Amino acid sequence: MSHDLENLYQQVILDHARKRSGFGLSDAALVRHHELNPTCGDEITVGIAVADDGTITPLGWEGQGCSISMASASTMAELCAGRDAAEVRELIAAFRTRDDTEPPEELEDAVAFQGVSKFVMRIKCAMLAWVALEACLNMAAPEASTA
């Protein structure tokens, strides 16, 4: 990865850590899941509701932790809110994939976290909110998690 691209990704992470999209849990979020990273103390609670048409609305989160975990939750909320649950599952899978291929464009700002895979201790920080969202989806529509 070029130095300029690394700097851009670093700026995206810092921007999202400061100005957190989707921060706050709505009373309309019928399904909630809490994740904790015991290694560093990062915590995230994600809350969603899935409409009859499969759309995730609302999607919110609360938490505390490092800039990577907070920014990752922010980009996740920005990217996934208002989308179909099946599409969100695909985005979670794409985010989880860490290899040498070019990151999928559909991840938008979340591609900034691809470089985190170089730092094993930080992968859990970046994944925390996404794992919580996946758990919420599994609770909201468990039959879809095995499809």
Side-chain angles (χ1 to χ4, degrees):
M1 184 180 322
S2 76
H3 183 67
D4 290 339
L5 192 55
E6 282 184 23
N7 286 340
L8 174 64
Y9 285 173
Q10 195 171 44
Q11 191 59 50
V12 166
I13 291 170
L14 292 174
D15 289 347
H16 273 278
R18 287 185 199 116
K19 186 175 182 238
R20 301 172 179 179
S21 295
F23 189 81
L25 292 170
S26 166
D27 289 339
L30 303 176
V31 180
R32 295 179 186 206
H33 183 78
H34 180 80
E35 283 287 324
L36 168 69
N37 182 349
T39 305
C40 64
D42 292 355
E43 292 187 66
I44 296 280
T45 300
V46 172
I48 66 168
V50 180
D52 291 338
D53 67 357
T55 303
I56 297 174
T57 184
L59 186 160
W61 65 277
E62 290 181 350
Q64 59 185 15
C66 69
S67 58
I68 290 174
S69 65
M70 298 296 99
S72 184
S74 176
T75 59
M76 177 210 64
E78 200 170 85
L79 183 63
C80 297
R83 291 191 187 232
D84 178 77
E87 184 180 10
V88 169
R89 287 183 188 281
E90 291 174 13
L91 290 170
I92 292 168
F95 187 81
R96 184 175 276 132
T97 301
R98 301 204 186 318
D99 55 26
D100 293 332
T101 63
E102 191 68 26
E105 284 183 25
E106 64 263 25
L107 286 178
E108 299 175 12
D109 279 355
V111 301
F113 298 92
Q114 290 298 110
V116 170
S117 62
K118 292 187 267 182
F119 308 100
V120 176
M121 296 298 291
R122 302 308 244 156
I123 293 172
K124 176 87 174 180
C125 299
M127 286 299 306
L128 205 61
W130 296 80
V131 169
L133 175 57
E134 186 173 45
C136 286
L137 288 172
N138 291 342
M139 288 185 283
E143 66 282 350
S145 66
T146 57

